[in-house]
């Protein structure tokens, strides 16, 4: 039985959203499949109000593999850069699903944002998405982004499975001698594909994202069950987290991924990495894309954007 809603949700709008999902959760992801899930997500993105206008928005192909990406610049002139990696269980999500988030982020922090259209499972299982994200970060870090108005520190940021990719990209870049981004921002990240943390059970259903949907996504991205506890896909199991850049980890109270994100923040701190960690009380997974539905979700997103701005000040 799912836990009761009131008064644990952050506002009435979020409570109504969760109640509606509980009344009609729809079929599980594994019964729908990636193609139909992507179609449904595109429809939701199209129905959402557009994000703020930007001075410049451009679709690019970046890096040695010509990875698709979209660059947002809130104003003219050279800007620091946030490389943004979208969520979506490694299988859905794209430039459109997180277009509004990227526009809000760019406007709030006054930096450029590069949203990466990395390859998705099941057509492209691990390590394709990590390869693409590393390629995009290297493209920006070695100066090729200067032609697109990028200058100054580079931060990598991801939400959900995008947080997983951001963490994995930083680990690979550290191990391969860089160039490391100046900071990483992980928002309700997947860090444990085994889904063995307590919140994967206590928050398994009834709060939007279900543990079974995450498990399905992990199966698509890493079909080999024996590999899912490996540090190359589950960063919380990395033997050494030292040498990583300053990090923000933000989790949500009512999220099956909460405990694995919290655990990763604790391990980073134990490895003497500078960490700002917060669990958003009364919040659910995916709040960055719920800003038009819930004022509390919008405020939680603004706090994340403020964290990014603070990081840029710190590393700039």
């Amino acid at each position: 039985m799912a836990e009761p809603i009131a008064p644990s949700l952050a506002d009435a709008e979020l409570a109504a959203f969760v109640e509606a999902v509980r009344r009609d959760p729809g079929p599980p992801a594994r019964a729908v499949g990636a193609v139909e899930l992507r179609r449904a997500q595109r429809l939701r993105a199209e129905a959402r109000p557009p994000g703020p206008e930007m001075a410049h928005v451009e679709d690019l192909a970046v890096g040695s593999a010509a990875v698709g990406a979209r660059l947002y610049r809130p104003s003219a002139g050279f800007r620091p850069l946030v490389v943004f990696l979208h969520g979506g269980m490694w299988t859905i999500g794209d430039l459109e699903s997180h277009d509004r988030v990227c526009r809000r982020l760019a406007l709030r922090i006054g930096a450029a944002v590069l949203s990466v259209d990395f390859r998705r499972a099941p057509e492209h299982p691990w390590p394709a998405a990590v390869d693409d994200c590393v390629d995009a970060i290297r493209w920006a870090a070695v100066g090729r982004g200067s032609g697109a108005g990028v200058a100054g520190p580079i931060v990598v940021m991801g939400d959900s499975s995008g947080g997983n990719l951001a963490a994995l990209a930083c680990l690979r870049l550290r191990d391969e001698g860089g160039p490391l981004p100046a900071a990483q921002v992980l928002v309700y990240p997947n860090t444990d594909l085994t889904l063995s943390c307590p919140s994967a059970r206590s928050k398994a259903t009834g709060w939007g994202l279900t543990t079974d949907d995450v498990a399905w996504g992990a199966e698509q991205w890493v079909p080999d069950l024996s590999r899912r506890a490996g540090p190359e896909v589950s960063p919380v199991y990395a033997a050494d987290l030292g040498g990583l850049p300053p990090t923000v980890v933000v989790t949500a109270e009512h999220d099956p991924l909460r405990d694995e994100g919290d655990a990763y923040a604790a391990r980073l701190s134990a490895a003497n990495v500078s960490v700002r960690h917060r669990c958003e009380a009364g919040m659910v997974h995916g709040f960055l894309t719920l800003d038009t539905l819930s004022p509390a979700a919008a405020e939680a997103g603004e706090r994340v954007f403020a964290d990014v701005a603070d990081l840029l000040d710190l590393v700039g």
Side-chain angles (χ1 to χ4, degrees):
M1 179 181 296
E3 297 173 279
I5 294 175
S8 59
L9 270 297
D11 63 15
E13 291 83 356
L14 201 59
F17 167 76
V18 170
E19 180 60 39
V21 170
R22 289 186 176 187
R23 286 196 305 267
D24 183 16
R30 66 178 66 252
V32 178
V35 172
E36 180 58 26
L37 287 171
R38 291 169 189 167
R39 188 192 71 81
Q41 187 176 62
R42 282 195 298 272
L43 293 175
R44 289 194 298 272
E46 291 168 2
R48 197 175 300 139
E53 290 293 325
M54 294 282 104
H56 181 84
V57 179
E58 180 182 5
D59 287 350
L60 303 170
V62 304
S64 59
V67 179
R70 180 171 295 166
L71 178 69
Y72 303 84
R73 291 171 56 200
S75 57
F78 285 83
R79 299 286 171 184
L81 178 70
V82 176
V83 177
F84 185 86
L85 311 177
H86 66 76
M89 302 183 298
W90 305 277
T91 59
I92 62 174
D94 55 23
L95 299 181
E96 304 307 327
S97 67
H98 286 67
D99 180 78
R100 180 178 170 84
V101 171
C102 291
R103 289 171 181 268
R104 291 172 60 218
L105 173 64
L107 185 66
R108 170 64 177 80
I109 67 175
V113 174
L114 184 76
S115 184
V116 182
D117 194 20
F118 51 82
R119 288 170 290 172
R120 300 171 298 183
E123 298 91 340
H124 303 283
W126 177 88
V130 185
D131 294 343
D132 290 351
C133 295
V134 167
D135 209 20
I137 294 168
R138 283 187 170 139
W139 171 84
V142 301
R144 296 190 182 99
S146 61
V150 174
I154 296 167
V155 172
V156 62
M157 174 178 177
D159 72 316
S160 193
S161 56
N164 168 271
L165 295 173
L168 293 175
C170 284
L171 284 166
R172 185 189 291 185
L173 287 163
R174 180 202 64 179
D175 293 345
E176 294 181 356
L180 269 172
Q184 60 178 340
V185 180
L186 314 177
V187 187
Y188 36 82
N190 296 86
T191 69
D192 179 5
L193 271 68
T194 72
L195 296 170
S196 56
C197 288
S199 62
R201 298 183 294 276
S202 64
K203 303 292 181 180
T205 62
W207 299 100
L209 180 70
T210 71
T211 297
D212 185 64
D213 284 354
V214 180
W216 171 81
E219 292 163 15
Q220 307 309 298
W221 194 50
V222 186
D224 182 354
L225 175 62
S226 67
R227 187 182 285 278
R228 292 183 207 143
E232 68 276 11
V233 298
S234 292
V236 77
Y237 294 118
D240 177 19
L241 297 180
L244 289 169
T247 303
V248 168
V249 180
V250 181
T251 56
E253 179 183 2
H254 301 300
D255 181 359
L257 305 186
R258 180 195 65 209
D259 290 349
E260 62 191 75
D262 293 348
Y264 195 61
R267 286 215 55 216
L268 286 166
S269 183
N272 295 315
V273 175
S274 175
V275 179
R276 177 184 291 189
H277 172 223
R278 178 176 66 259
C279 180
E280 286 285 350
M283 199 51 59
V284 298
H285 188 88
F287 63 76
L288 281 183
T289 57
L290 296 177
D291 62 294
T292 61
L293 181 147
S294 159
E299 291 168 6
E302 288 296 322
R303 285 189 287 274
V304 173
F305 300 158
D307 291 332
V308 181
D310 290 347
L311 269 182
L312 285 172
D313 287 342
L314 175 68
V315 301

